């Protein structure tokens, strides 16, 4: 099995958006959901990456440059039929290994233990601004400035 981290190109975007439709579609028709993604300022402001396994893009995420040293990782998704095989974790690990920044942040909308297994640390619950997403950081040695935490991205 050949697993490669690839920076997505424009032709990849609809298939990337499709990976998250069942989670983020929120009752929208598929065509309406795709149009929302295509016109999203948020999605246009980052760089999409995919995990390509044996020629197939199986998992994707978007990377944001937050500051000179901080990177945000968002919208992690895996194709329905490829979930449960560790491809999402592998994609995040490959992003981390690229050394794009000194520290990484993400907002976990799922059980944070998924990201803890990779090495992410949960921000103190007193500093969490949202109920449904939890801010996490990597590596554990990151110095956290509780007055300058990234807002949801």
């Amino acid at each position: 099995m050949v697993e490669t981290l690839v920076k997505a190109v424009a032709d990849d975007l609809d298939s990337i958006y499709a990976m998250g439709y069942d989670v983020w579609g929120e009752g929208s028709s598929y065509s309406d959901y795709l149009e929302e993604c295509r016109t999203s300022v948020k999605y246009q402001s980052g760089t999409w990456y995919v995990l390509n396994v044996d020629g197939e893009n199986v998992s994707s995420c978007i990377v944001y440059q937050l500051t000179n040293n901080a990177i945000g990782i968002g919208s992690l998704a895996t194709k329905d039929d490829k979930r449960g095989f560790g491809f999402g974790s592998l994609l995040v690990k490959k992003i981390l290994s690229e050394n794009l920044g000194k520290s990484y942040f993400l907002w976990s909308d799922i059980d944070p233990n998924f990201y803890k297994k990779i090495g992410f640390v949960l921000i103190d619950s007193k500093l969490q601004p949202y109920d449904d997403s939890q801010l996490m950081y990597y590596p554990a040695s990151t110095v956290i400035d509780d007055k300058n935490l990234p807002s949801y991205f």
Side-chain angles (χ1 to χ4, degrees):
M1 192 172 344
V2 178
E3 302 153 336
T4 309
L5 177 67
V6 179
K7 189 184 287 191
V9 296
D11 288 345
D12 296 325
L13 294 179
D14 280 357
S15 64
I16 286 171
Y17 303 148
M19 290 181 197
Y21 174 64
D22 65 322
V23 176
W24 296 303
E26 299 176 8
S28 297
S29 70
Y30 182 67
S31 61
D32 287 347
Y33 169 77
L34 277 182
E35 189 58 29
E36 288 174 32
C37 293
R38 290 172 182 152
T39 59
S40 168
V41 173
K42 174 181 154 181
Y43 283 175
Q44 294 172 13
S45 66
T47 302
W48 286 96
Y49 286 87
V50 294
L51 179 68
N52 185 285
V53 178
D54 296 334
E56 178 183 7
N57 293 337
V58 300
S59 195
S60 63
C61 69
I62 192 167
V63 173
Y64 300 99
Q65 187 72 49
L66 301 177
T67 66
N68 288 339
N69 296 320
I71 299 295
I73 300 173
S75 301
L76 176 65
T78 300
K79 287 178 131 181
D80 280 348
D81 64 335
K82 302 297 181 186
R83 293 178 184 165
F85 297 103
F87 294 131
S89 296
L90 182 58
L91 174 58
V92 173
K93 290 174 186 174
K94 286 188 173 285
I95 294 288
L96 297 174
S97 72
E98 288 290 303
N99 295 313
L100 301 172
K102 292 186 179 177
S103 58
Y104 296 80
F105 291 89
L106 59 79
W107 290 94
S108 178
D109 298 326
I110 61 172
D111 182 346
N113 287 319
F114 176 87
Y115 296 108
K116 285 181 179 180
K117 291 176 186 174
I118 299 170
F120 278 83
V121 178
L122 198 57
I123 295 281
D124 186 316
S125 62
K126 296 181 298 231
L127 303 175
Q128 295 286 352
Y130 306 108
D131 291 332
D132 55 348
S133 292
Q134 297 177 298
L135 184 59
M136 302 183 80
Y137 63 93
Y138 176 95
S141 60
T142 300
V143 176
I144 298 300
D145 175 3
D146 62 352
K147 293 173 183 49
N148 198 19
L149 292 173
S151 58
Y152 193 83
F153 47 83

